[in-house]
Amino acid sequence: MAAFSRSDLADLSTFATVVRHRSFTGAAIEIGVTTSALSHAIRRLETRLGARLLNRTSRSVAPTTLGLALAERLAEGFDTIAAALDEAAGERAASLGEIRLNVPADAAMLLLRPALPDFVKRFPHTRLSVAVEDRPVDIVAEGFDAGIRYGDTVPEDMVAMALTPPLRWVTVASPTYLARFGRPRAPEDLGDHRCLRLMLGNNAVFRWELGDGERLIRLDLAGTLTFNDTATTIDAAVQGLGIGYVLEERVRAHLADRRLEIVLPDWASTGAGFAMYYPSRRQNHAALRQLVEIIRSAWERRPSTA
């Protein structure tokens, strides 16, 4: 193989990111490039090494045995580089200043809540201001340093870093509701049920998306109860007032103790995960970068549903 070059380092970093996310889409969001550019980088690296590093299907990406071994070694190397840079910058550089974030309520509950204790412990002198709201926000115009959104809604002119893998959306109801009104067996049955509608930040009513790929269908369901937040929707579902459509992660505890059950499990839908985004690659606040890593780490440590 020819001598190592700077382009190889970039491609190796790209490969490591794809392996970490097990997704070209998630890696593209983090790096801030197109999935096509990522694919070209991986093919270039595989050609240079003369070996296949990734197995790709239409629904998944997984490293080969050789690719996994390479990714593990790269992770050690990149961790060493990151530690050296942090040591050179010093903790003081990371602890000064203020970070203003704008996040939706679900992200505040799922991501910030478990991450904040570690962040405060590591950066006790950083002022972190968080505005929790679900309406669409121009973070630049409203003076925020960064925001969190679903990855597929991040404006194209923003730099984004994936915080979670793709997320599942499910329909849920309480055992009390199902005993009284019966269990829908197919999406078309939902029209005969009491569905809890979700109003978006722009006051539009969210259409339920069921299934993935070619099976994906969007339903605009009627209902007498409409809420603009997930917490109230979940509470109404637990009370037996109707069927809700929510992120599966938001009802993990409710499913575990059987206050809620997944309705139409074969029609769960996969949507984009959350991403941290900000307006410029020059955004270089060390504490913000560390917050991203703390959130990712907390997500990986969350309790298993098993």
Side-chain angles (χ1 to χ4, degrees):
M1 190 176 78
F4 186 85
S5 69
R6 289 186 179 181
S7 63
D8 291 321
L9 181 59
D11 289 347
L12 288 168
S13 177
T14 295
F15 165 71
T17 304
V18 171
V19 171
R20 176 155 52 81
H21 286 282
R22 296 295 199 274
S23 163
F24 275 87
T25 301
I29 292 172
E30 175 176 339
I31 297 172
V33 300
T34 65
T35 55
S36 177
L38 284 189
S39 182
H40 284 304
I42 297 301
R43 281 200 296 270
R44 185 167 57 239
L45 182 60
E46 289 179 328
T47 299
R48 181 151 170 70
L49 295 176
R52 189 173 186 83
L53 299 175
L54 295 175
N55 290 319
R56 311 169 182 83
T57 70
S58 60
R59 298 181 63 88
S60 66
V61 177
T64 63
T65 301
L66 177 63
L68 183 59
L70 176 61
E72 291 174 349
R73 294 295 301 273
L74 288 174
E76 296 174 3
F78 287 132
D79 285 347
T80 300
I81 293 172
L85 291 174
D86 286 343
E87 184 177 346
E91 282 291 305
R92 186 172 182 275
S95 67
L96 299 178
E98 178 180 13
I99 302 173
R100 299 190 69 239
L101 295 181
N102 185 281
V103 305
D106 283 348
M109 174 65 69
L110 294 173
L111 304 182
L112 287 184
R113 183 179 182 185
L116 283 177
D118 191 17
F119 180 81
V120 170
K121 179 180 179 180
R122 293 174 60 178
F123 303 101
H125 303 297
T126 297
R127 298 187 301 276
L128 178 64
S129 300
V130 181
V132 179
E133 50 188 339
D134 291 321
R135 66 182 178 90
V137 171
D138 182 336
I139 61 172
V140 175
E142 301 198 24
F144 294 100
D145 299 300
I148 296 177
R149 285 189 186 181
Y150 294 107
D152 58 355
T153 67
V154 172
E156 292 184 358
D157 60 345
M158 294 286 171
V159 176
M161 296 179 289
L163 299 174
T164 72
L167 300 171
R168 286 208 336 156
W169 290 79
V170 294
T171 50
V172 296
S174 71
T176 301
Y177 176 90
L178 296 174
R180 181 179 178 187
F181 296 102
R183 182 185 296 271
R185 301 299 177 183
E188 52 267 27
D189 296 341
L190 291 171
D192 299 324
H193 281 266
R194 300 181 178 184
C195 295
L196 306 172
R197 305 197 307 169
L198 180 64
M199 186 166 57
L200 302 175
N202 60 3
N203 293 326
V205 175
F206 185 66
R207 293 201 301 170
W208 293 15
E209 296 183 349
L210 304 181
D212 286 323
E214 295 181 355
R215 297 179 70 230
L216 175 65
I217 59 174
R218 294 179 174 86
L219 300 177
D220 189 1
L221 297 165
T224 59
L225 294 177
T226 302
F227 308 108
N228 70 346
D229 74 301
T230 303
T232 307
T233 300
I234 294 172
D235 187 58
V238 169
Q239 294 182 62
L241 303 181
I243 298 175
Y245 180 75
V246 296
L247 279 174
E248 185 177 26
E249 287 292 333
R250 286 288 274 111
V251 291
R252 284 163 59 94
H254 303 78
L255 296 173
D257 62 18
R258 300 190 62 79
R259 283 177 289 169
L260 292 174
E261 299 178 23
I262 294 180
V263 178
L264 301 174
D266 293 337
W267 286 91
S269 180
T270 304
F274 286 113
M276 181 83 76
Y277 69 103
Y278 49 84
S280 170
R281 291 188 182 279
R282 292 189 299 272
Q283 169 64 271
N284 199 36
H285 197 300
L288 178 60
R289 296 197 308 273
Q290 291 299 314
L291 176 59
V292 169
E293 294 305 320
I294 290 170
I295 289 174
R296 289 172 176 167
S297 178
W299 179 269
E300 292 176 357
R301 296 195 311 267
R302 71 195 191 286
S304 169
T305 56

